[in-house]
Amino acid sequence: VARKAGFQRALLRWYRSRARPLPWRDSPSLYKTVVSEFMLQQTQVKTVLPYFARWLEALPDFSALAAASEGRVLKLWEGLGYYSRARNLHRLAGRIASRSSPPNTPAGWREFPGIGPYTAAAITSISFQYPAACVDGNVVRILARLTANPKRFPDSATAAKIFSPLAEALLSSSPGDHNQAMMELGATVCLRKKPLCAVCPVRGYCAAARLGHPGKFPRLAPRKIERHKLTRVWCERDDSLLLHLAPPSARRLASMHELPLAGQAGLTVKAAACGELLAQKRR
Ligand code: SF4
């Protein structure tokens, strides 16, 4: 118990003095937390920063977002990718704006579109001090190193499940700051390839650092990466450009228009390659 309290204190002291000054941490609000958590899904902080600033200026609260047209929302999101996030955030704002008060538990937030266990824990711990631990790849890495867990995990989702009870057990009485401190530690100190153990605030609690090879943890099976070459084509007729409408279930460009694949445009690969050259010349 004393070690747990010492770990929590060291982590929080470090976070409160060293955390990066990010705009969603400055005068925090539920709206800023929700928008930043949606934007940060699959996307790095430095990419999100200019989008977040533009978004807050154009749509400063849930009511403004709920009242905005989908076209405006998508325009503000343009370039961030995974557009289903923007649509889900838009729908969520409509539901929040129509309620007398937002839910304050992870289960309540999980009923909204686009909210998984991590995002629900992040929003409720940061905005309502709900005692739920956030467990993502960063947190798994820290916990695997703190415990020097030798187990080999088939994938990061399995590892997250295994480490969840430990993450919950380590939560302090300030769950919002604790979760943000763990995320900050994973993003800036306990780095995947070269952890900065010399400046780590919880080094005294870390079994992997004591063993001298923290980079060996966590032990994750290598990800299988399949590479596919896609040929997209530029087809014009009568001053119109042929575009393909991605289905709502598409991961990156749900319900967005994109250049069609050769097969979708009814072309052979040879003809499609000519189309590509034509498109390059026109740019
Ligand atoms: Fe990560 Fe090193 Fe800190 Fe351990 S001591 S938690 S390996 S940065």
Side-chain angles (χ1 to χ4, degrees):
V1 174
R3 274 183 73 73
K4 175 177 155 182
F7 170 85
Q8 293 168 338
R9 263 198 312 275
L11 182 69
L12 279 184
R13 202 181 308 127
W14 168 82
Y15 173 70
R16 287 173 179 159
S17 62
R18 297 292 174 84
R20 292 167 293 175
L22 299 174
W24 44 90
R25 291 180 184 157
D26 178 31
S27 320
S29 68
L30 175 63
Y31 181 67
K32 283 186 187 176
T33 301
V34 171
V35 172
S36 64
E37 287 300 331
F38 268 74
M39 287 188 170
L40 288 166
Q41 289 169 3
Q42 330 266 359
T43 310
Q44 291 187 339
V45 167
K46 67 173 189 291
T47 307
V48 163
L49 287 173
Y51 284 91
F52 185 82
R54 276 197 297 274
W55 187 280
L56 261 279
E57 202 172 312
L59 305 170
D61 51 37
F62 285 115
S63 306
L65 174 53
S69 67
E70 184 173 278
R72 183 155 186 240
V73 168
L74 291 175
K75 190 73 196 157
L76 284 163
W77 199 274
E78 194 173 72
L80 260 186
Y82 297 101
Y83 292 88
S84 54
R85 292 181 296 175
R87 289 199 178 86
N88 285 336
L89 184 53
H90 192 204
R91 274 189 270 156
L92 180 152
R95 286 173 60 181
I96 296 264
S98 67
R99 296 171 61 122
S100 55
S101 63
N104 59 6
T105 63
W109 281 86
R110 290 287 302 276
E111 288 179 12
F112 293 134
I115 303 262
Y118 176 89
T119 307
I123 292 171
T124 52
S125 65
I126 294 169
S127 297
F128 304 104
Q129 295 306 312
Y130 190 93
C134 297
V135 188
D136 68 348
N138 277 338
V139 174
V140 163
R141 189 166 61 250
I142 297 167
L143 297 179
R145 289 172 177 175
L146 286 175
T147 53
N149 189 317
K151 193 170 158 49
R152 188 177 163 89
F153 303 101
D155 51 55
S156 47
T158 307
K161 265 193 205 140
I162 304 275
F163 282 109
S164 281
L166 177 59
E168 299 285 348
L170 285 176
L171 261 185
S172 74
S173 54
S174 305
D177 277 0
H178 177 95
N179 279 330
Q180 293 189 87
M182 290 291 276
M183 297 176 213
E184 188 75 2
L185 190 71
T188 62
V189 177
C190 195
L191 305 173
R192 194 163 60 86
K193 284 195 180 146
K194 287 191 181 161
L196 308 174
C197 302
V199 294
C200 179
V202 294
R203 187 177 180 181
Y205 303 87
C206 184
R210 258 197 313 281
L211 291 172
H213 46 75
K216 287 193 177 168
F217 303 94
R219 296 186 65 221
L220 284 169
R223 266 194 287 178
K224 284 188 199 139
I225 299 176
E226 288 181 20
R227 293 186 195 282
H228 299 275
K229 189 173 174 196
L230 302 176
T231 303
R232 297 198 175 269
V233 295
W234 182 282
C235 285
E236 281 186 44
R237 187 187 296 160
D238 302 332
D239 283 339
S240 296
L241 179 65
L242 179 67
L243 292 173
H244 171 249
L245 179 62
S249 57
R251 222 172 145 231
R252 293 179 71 90
L253 292 173
S255 304
M256 304 294 281
H257 287 95
E258 57 188 347
L259 287 177
L261 296 169
Q264 290 163 339
L267 296 173
T268 63
V269 172
K270 201 170 163 201
C274 295
E276 268 191 333
L277 281 178
L278 186 64
Q280 279 173 13
K281 275 190 196 155
R282 282 172 189 275
R283 265 182 233 131

